[in-house]
Amino acid sequence: MHTIINNIILTRKFILSICEPLTEEQLNTTPNGFNNNIIWNLGHLIAAQQGICYIRSGLNPVVDESITEYFKSGSKPNKIFTNDEIESIKKTFTSSLEQLKKDIEKKLFVNYEPLQTRYGVNISNITQAIQFLPFHEGLHAGTINAMKRLVTLH
């Protein structure tokens, strides 16, 4: 399972490298045709991982509750994030996965509330949850890349 999580960390580092040259304004811009922006997508990946791993296991998230609430599925950005808030999200983007590895080693994920994702994938334990994450990460990486092209056209 560590291999999958390490691959997600590498993917997230790649996503951060894509975002590195973007300004606060660009990260907060919702391009035409989209319901959210790049910084929302970063936060959403954190929130989704916390939900599918920790909350479904009956555990408290290891990130600030405001992240899991603000960036949950179906939400939309309704504020402008400052550079300090953006940096905090970027830091949590990888640190939350490092914590997941530690918590797996501690065997914290003993209970799991099964779910079927909107994509039809059935998940009934933490192993399946972690196996699903790269698919979800890939969807949002593609979205972030498309958004980057649009917000840097000027």
Side-chain angles (χ1 to χ4, degrees):
M1 218 162 356
H2 280 332
T3 301
I4 295 170
I5 297 170
N6 286 337
N7 287 342
I8 298 168
I9 291 170
L10 290 173
T11 302
R12 286 192 178 186
K13 286 180 178 179
F14 175 74
I15 292 169
L16 288 175
S17 73
I18 289 171
C19 297
E20 194 57 40
L22 299 176
T23 66
E24 176 183 331
E25 179 183 359
Q26 290 169 325
L27 291 168
N28 279 290
T29 297
T30 299
N32 288 337
F34 289 90
N35 293 323
N36 47 53
N37 53 41
I38 293 172
I39 197 61
W40 183 92
N41 275 270
L42 296 181
H44 172 70
L45 288 173
I46 298 166
Q49 178 263 317
Q50 293 292 299
I52 201 168
C53 294
Y54 288 89
I55 296 170
R56 300 296 296 187
S57 295
L59 301 170
N60 291 325
V62 297
V63 301
D64 190 285
E65 186 180 331
S66 64
I67 289 178
T68 56
E69 189 58 33
Y70 185 85
F71 297 107
K72 66 185 174 186
S73 288
S75 67
K76 295 179 182 175
N78 62 10
K79 68 173 267 181
I80 301 296
F81 285 87
T82 65
N83 277 324
D84 286 345
E85 292 169 317
I86 290 167
E87 288 308 310
S88 177
I89 290 168
K90 287 178 177 180
K91 181 179 178 195
T92 305
F93 200 56
T94 52
S95 67
S96 59
L97 290 170
E98 294 293 347
Q99 185 62 49
L100 178 61
K101 286 195 302 190
K102 292 175 187 173
D103 291 340
I104 287 170
E105 288 172 8
K106 293 178 189 173
K107 301 187 186 315
L108 296 182
F109 302 95
V110 292
N111 297 314
Y112 197 88
E113 183 182 335
L115 79 144
Q116 183 178 62
T117 70
R118 70 177 68 179
Y119 311 104
V121 176
N122 291 308
I123 300 172
S124 59
N125 58 53
I126 191 64
T127 300
Q128 293 172 348
I130 291 170
Q131 289 170 339
F132 174 77
L133 287 175
F135 166 76
H136 185 252
E137 300 275 328
L139 287 174
H140 287 277
T143 298
I144 291 166
N145 214 20
M147 287 179 168
K148 180 183 178 183
R149 288 188 197 111
L150 293 172
V151 301
T152 57
L153 283 175
H154 310 105

